[in-house]
Amino acid sequence: MYVGRFVVVGPGIGAYRVSSRSFPNRRVVEREGALTVAPTPDAPETDNPYIAYNCLRTVGEEAVVGNGSHVDPVAEKRAMGYPARDALALSLLALDFEKDDYDTPRIAGIVAEDEAYVATVRRDALVVERVTEPTLVATYEEDGPTAFDLDATDAAGAARAVYDHEFEHAVCAVGVTVGEGVETAVVND
C-alpha cells in the first residue's frame, strides 16, 4: 500500500519516512542543526516547493518531525515556550495542506521524553492529539492518527524500522530518541 510520507511518534521515540512515486531522488542530509530532505545530485531540476525541507529539528530536549516547511515554525514556537499542542495547531493551521494536485496533508509530531503529539492538517480537518504509544499519521490512506508497532529502542532502529516497513516506495528515513539527550539517525538506502 502507498501511504506517501509518514511520521510515527511516541513518548521518547519518533521517526519520519519519505515515500515517493514522483520524486524518489532525495536523501536526508544534516544541515545547520537540522535534518533536511534534499534532492540527490542526480535529481532532475524542479520548481516544486515541496521537495526540499527540514524534516527534523531539535528544540532543547525534544524533537519536531514532519513532511514540510511547517517543521520550522513548530520548532520556533516551541523554542518561544508555546505548548506543544498550540505550536502544532497554529503552524499547521497557518500553512494549511499543501496546494499541490493532491491537496497533500501536512503531518508533524513532537517527541519529548515523557510525552508526544501527532498532528495533521488536511482539506477537511486539523487534528492534534497527545499520544501515549507510537502513533502513525501519513499523507495518504492513513491520514488520521493510528497506533503503530514501532519495534525499536534507539534512533537508528526507528529509522530502519520505518524505512523497511511494508509501505511502498521508501526513499529515506530519520529516527529520533529523546531521553538522556536527543539522538538522531538517518537511512538513505
Side-chain angles (χ1 to χ4, degrees):
M1 175 170 49
Y2 181 68
V3 300
R5 297 165 280 168
F6 65 93
V7 299
V8 176
V9 297
I13 195 162
Y16 171 68
R17 185 176 105 176
V18 176
S19 307
S20 181
R21 296 180 287 214
S22 305
F23 297 99
N25 297 358
R26 290 185 277 175
R27 63 184 175 174
V28 175
V29 296
E30 189 168 349
R31 189 177 70 174
E32 298 174 22
L35 296 180
T36 303
V37 175
T40 59
D42 62 339
E45 286 193 33
T46 180
D47 61 355
N48 186 318
Y50 305 117
I51 298 302
Y53 52 89
N54 290 333
C55 66
L56 187 145
R57 295 253 324 255
T58 59
V59 181
E61 294 296 312
E62 64 184 37
V64 177
V65 294
N67 73 321
S69 60
H70 55 283
V71 169
D72 293 329
V74 172
E76 290 160 8
K77 287 184 181 348
R78 288 298 292 143
M80 291 188 301
Y82 281 68
R85 180 181 139 281
D86 296 353
L88 286 163
L90 289 168
S91 299
L92 290 174
L93 187 60
L95 289 168
D96 210 2
F97 58 89
E98 294 178 0
K99 303 305 188 266
D100 60 7
D101 293 340
Y102 307 102
D103 293 341
T104 302
R106 290 184 190 265
I107 56 175
I110 295 177
V111 178
E113 183 175 11
D114 297 324
E115 66 179 5
Y117 288 82
V118 67
T120 183
V121 62
R122 313 181 300 249
R123 174 176 278 287
D124 66 337
L126 169 66
V127 178
V128 181
E129 288 187 14
R130 184 173 186 205
V131 297
T132 58
E133 63 183 345
T135 302
L136 172 137
V137 67
T139 55
Y140 310 117
E141 302 297 326
E142 299 284 343
D143 65 355
T146 307
F148 184 86
D149 184 18
L150 183 61
D151 188 21
T153 58
D154 62 6
R160 178 54 61 190
V162 297
Y163 184 87
D164 290 342
H165 194 275
E166 65 188 22
F167 293 145
E168 297 173 348
H169 302 288
V171 173
C172 52
V174 301
V176 62
T177 52
V178 178
E180 294 183 23
V182 178
E183 176 190 352
T184 63
V186 173
V187 174
N188 281 319
D189 287 351

